[in-house]
Amino acid sequence: MEQAMPVYILSGFLGSGKTTLLQRLLDHWKAQGLKPAVVMNELGEVNLDGLLVEQSVPMAEMLGGCICCSIRGDLSTELATLIKKESPDVVVIEATGAANPLEIVDAVTEISLYQLVELKGLITVVDAAHLIELYRSQQGATYRLMQEQIRCASVLILNKTDRVTPQEAEEITAILRKWNAYAEILPAVRCDLEPEALLDGMGGIHAEARFQEEDEVQAAEGQAEYAGEVGETGAAVHGSHDHVMAYTHYFKRPVNSEEFEQFVKELPRDVYRAKGIVTFSDTSSRFLFQYAYREADFMKITPQGEVPDVAVFIGEHFSSLELRTRLLQLEKRILARPAVVKRSL
């Protein structure tokens, strides 16, 4: 399968250190000989942070509004245009501090419906002193938005730890863990972290493309190895990186329409939205499906050009492995359950 374009989202309040982290990541990728690109969002009409990014780095600016609300609809178009025009190796989206991360994830995954994109992770930068101040007051829209940005993160960077006491640092870490039980917490000063360690540990959001062709190999070998990793629910055992905010699955085979509709009806409650394009083995048409608020809608479509069969799931720390296993079963790429051979005595 063609390699999907890796995309990272940087989240966090104004002044938390997002742009400092962005600079470190850009320097890291360029040192590796990679070509990064940036989508930068500002509430105002002038992109001041963008002035800090070298002109050699391709950048799309979204000004005068927040990605997740007034100009959210443009994000998918801007990102797709940037990828097509510049052919970067990796893309970073630096969102305004007022952005709701789940809305951005929703907008970014929209591109998956017509282009291979892998949303690798959502990094939230937290200003240690600001967080403890907001937590102690526990009121206002800013406090609630900070909660959302922390809850949705794949990785949490606890920045400016030099501005709090060791006791306050422990209190802040406990707050972060209460709001997000899965994300790795990395203390830092001026976001001075080893980029390689940060990126290597990023597994919070991943796409089906990263698994390559291993599924067919396992199926051909009778799933002997796979069966050993499957628990009572039929899902493969996985670590904390299994809990994701978005999962993108690229289909390689048609699926049965009734089985797929039943799968959608049984989606976990932690999955808030789903969308995609699918080919059914028992009908001649392709279908666009949308899922929200426990309701699903299917519509016949005739896509223009080469559009992949794909399904995108968005929610809050749901198990991607359970969804992936079930979808591979629907595609008949793995067995529904490991075969049990009974031998008579």
Side-chain angles (χ1 to χ4, degrees):
M1 176 179 284
E2 181 186 345
Q3 185 65 41
M5 174 66 62
V7 177
Y8 295 87
I9 299 172
L10 299 188
S11 175
F13 271 74
L14 297 172
S16 63
K18 294 194 305 296
T19 306
T20 301
L21 177 63
L22 174 62
Q23 291 282 7
R24 295 187 187 280
L25 291 175
L26 294 177
D27 290 343
H28 169 72
W29 284 316
K30 286 191 292 184
Q32 289 187 320
L34 300 176
K35 180 182 180 181
V38 178
V39 177
M40 191 166 282
N41 178 214
E42 286 281 0
L43 285 173
E45 297 299 330
V46 179
N47 183 6
L48 297 177
D49 284 347
L51 299 176
L52 302 175
V53 178
E54 289 184 19
Q55 291 186 351
S56 61
V57 176
M59 180 167 60
E61 298 177 321
M62 303 183 69
L63 306 178
C66 173
I67 279 177
C68 69
C69 43
S70 60
I71 59 174
R72 172 189 158 198
D74 297 332
L75 177 58
S76 295
T77 303
E78 285 284 352
L79 183 54
T81 301
L82 181 68
I83 292 172
K84 184 175 182 180
K85 179 183 177 183
E86 302 291 347
S87 299
D89 297 304
V90 58
V91 178
V92 185
I93 300 171
E94 183 186 342
T96 170
N100 184 308
L102 265 185
E103 295 292 339
I104 302 172
V105 169
D106 193 2
V108 172
T109 54
E110 191 76 28
I111 305 166
S112 301
L113 301 187
Y114 53 89
Q115 194 164 345
L116 283 176
V117 170
E118 180 179 3
L119 191 45
K120 295 287 288 184
L122 196 155
I123 305 167
T124 296
V125 183
V126 179
D127 182 326
H130 190 199
L131 173 60
I132 201 165
E133 179 184 325
L134 283 175
Y135 183 76
R136 286 169 177 170
S137 64
Q138 295 204 13
Q139 58 186 358
T142 301
Y143 173 70
R144 291 191 293 274
L145 181 57
M146 183 173 280
Q147 274 188 303
E148 286 300 311
Q149 292 182 349
I150 291 169
R151 283 172 54 190
C152 293
S154 310
V155 174
L156 290 162
I157 298 179
L158 182 57
N159 200 30
K160 305 184 181 181
T161 52
D162 56 328
R163 299 187 182 183
V164 295
T165 67
Q167 292 76 18
E168 287 175 328
E170 285 186 18
E171 181 182 350
I172 296 165
T173 301
I175 295 168
L176 296 179
R177 189 50 71 218
K178 181 171 72 171
W179 289 348
N180 189 327
Y182 302 103
E184 185 177 7
I185 301 173
L186 302 174
V189 175
R190 295 186 58 81
C191 287
D192 189 7
L193 298 164
E194 180 55 52
E196 196 73 53
L198 171 63
L199 299 172
D200 283 352
M202 194 79 67
I205 303 176
H206 57 260
E208 144 69 10
R210 74 183 292 175
F211 296 102
Q212 302 298 326
E213 306 295 326
E214 65 187 41
D215 309 303
E216 282 77 4
V217 174
Q218 289 169 338
E221 294 176 351
Q223 291 185 290
E225 187 173 333
Y226 182 83
E229 298 178 355
V230 176
E232 294 178 2
T233 62
V237 177
H238 202 275
S240 62
H241 287 332
D242 176 32
H243 295 272
V244 300
M245 309 308 299
Y247 171 61
T248 301
H249 184 93
Y250 290 98
F251 294 91
K252 295 183 181 179
R253 302 177 185 175
V255 296
N256 179 273
S257 62
E258 292 184 4
E259 291 180 356
F260 186 78
E261 286 186 45
Q262 188 62 32
F263 161 76
V264 172
K265 287 179 182 178
E266 296 173 353
L267 282 172
R269 291 196 172 273
D270 292 336
V271 176
Y272 305 145
R273 285 206 60 196
K275 53 195 172 184
I277 297 170
V278 62
T279 299
F280 293 130
S281 56
D282 51 336
T283 64
S284 57
S285 301
R286 296 178 77 188
F287 284 79
L288 172 71
F289 81 93
Q290 299 272 356
Y291 169 88
Y293 306 106
R294 312 296 297 169
E295 295 288 337
D297 182 54
F298 291 82
M299 181 175 65
K300 285 185 179 181
I301 59 168
T302 305
Q304 302 299 311
E306 293 187 14
V307 179
D309 279 356
V310 60
V312 179
F313 305 89
I314 301 167
E316 192 166 307
H317 295 299
F318 60 90
S319 171
S320 63
L321 259 295
E322 289 184 12
L323 293 189
R324 175 175 174 261
T325 300
R326 187 71 186 98
L327 287 164
L328 292 176
Q329 290 168 356
L330 292 178
E331 291 185 81
K332 306 297 189 276
R333 287 162 63 186
I334 63 171
L335 300 176
R337 282 189 181 276
V340 176
V341 179
K342 293 184 178 181
R343 295 183 175 86
S344 57
L345 295 175

